[in-house]
Amino acid sequence: MRIILLGSPGAGKGTVSKLLIAYDGSVHISTGDILRNAVKAGTLLGKKAKDYMDRGALVPDSLIMDMMEERLKEPDCARGFILDGFPRTIPQAEELEKLLAKLKIDIDLVVNMEIGKEVVLDRLTTRRTCSNSSCQAIYNVKTMPTKVAGICDKCGSPVIQRSDETEEAIVNRLDTYNKQTAPLIDYYGTKGMLKTIEAASSETVVNTITKSLKA
Ligand code: ADP
Ligand code: ZN
């Protein structure tokens, strides 16, 4: 499958992506994960991106587009891909369209994962992420705790609260989403590519996506 996942921070795009790659072997491309790994590895991209990310602001489009062009040219994308966290602005969507035309790739579906603001705030403040960059398992202190407090079930590394998951950064990320990313819902709606799915349950989202791809 070749799909774009839209949805506010905390909508569950990461969880849904992981279920979808298990379904058909498509690759999960999370711009947030790529950027966090770049920050950790101390690359030039990481150095340029870190301040924006810690504030909950968007990294400049030009950096993102260079990074994504490189990623979409990787051979594993031939298996299909799930874009999680990209495009994030109208200019990114326009640039992506040109890039995909150049690479002769068509998108099957754009999914808008819809979720209430209270649910999102609660999910984000209780979310914990495995600190091992090759694992990045996601937990929730309320709904999906680790078996041993603070330790990843899968790899044994410490689980942490992301530096952009302080209350202030979360409020900024939601505000950034509403101003800069939500307009993409109309953008793709007008093109007839959009499917909006109520995102309370990740399983429901995945089932709805796989059904509409078969149809
Ligand atoms: P979220 O939970 O907010 O959806 P992500 O993991 O997708 O978080 O992204 C984390 C941060 O990385 C964002 O707050 C932003 O600073 C940066 N980022 C990720 N994707 C993009 C993008 N497509 N354009 C600009 N900045 C991005
Ligand atoms: Zn882990």
Side-chain angles (χ1 to χ4, degrees), residues 5-18 28 82-86 88 113 123 127 177:
L5 288 184
L6 295 178
S8 85
K13 299 188 295 296
T15 309
V16 164
S17 298
K18 285 183 177 124
H28 174 206
I82 296 140
L83 296 182
D84 162 11
F86 171 84
R88 202 74 149 227
M113 294 176 51
R123 275 191 192 172
R127 180 148 89 179
Y177 174 80

Side-chain angles (χ1 to χ4, degrees), residues 7-15 36 56 84 88 115-129 138-143 160-178:
S8 85
K13 299 188 295 296
T15 309
R36 277 185 290 278
D84 162 11
R88 202 74 149 227
I115 189 99
K117 201 183 160 200
E118 308 72 43
V119 181
V120 155
L121 272 178
D122 189 59
R123 275 191 192 172
L124 290 176
T125 49
T126 53
R127 180 148 89 179
R128 298 294 180 272
T129 307
I138 296 166
Y139 299 92
N140 185 292
V141 290
K142 280 194 201 161
T143 59
I160 52 162
Q161 195 164 14
R162 269 166 42 179
S163 62
D164 64 351
E165 287 181 347
T166 62
E167 191 145 342
E168 194 193 355
I170 288 170
V171 169
N172 280 337
R173 279 162 62 204
L174 292 175
D175 191 52
T176 303
Y177 174 80
N178 289 329

Side-chain angles (χ1 to χ4, degrees), residues 129-132 134-137 139 151-159:
T129 307
C130 175
S131 59
N132 171 0
S134 55
C135 175
Q136 291 180 351
Y139 299 92
I151 298 296
C152 177
D153 294 350
K154 292 188 182 138
C155 77
S157 303
V159 296

Side-chain angles (χ1 to χ4, degrees), residues 9 13 31-32 35-36 53 57 59 64 85 88 92 162 173:
K13 299 188 295 296
T31 42
L35 289 167
R36 277 185 290 278
M53 295 174 73
V59 174
I64 299 291
R88 202 74 149 227
Q92 285 182 17
R162 269 166 42 179
R173 279 162 62 204

Side-chain angles (χ1 to χ4, degrees), residues 19-39:
L19 292 168
L20 287 173
I21 59 174
Y23 172 78
D24 79 343
S26 299
V27 291
H28 174 206
I29 303 180
S30 157
T31 42
D33 286 350
I34 299 174
L35 289 167
R36 277 185 290 278
N37 287 338
V39 170

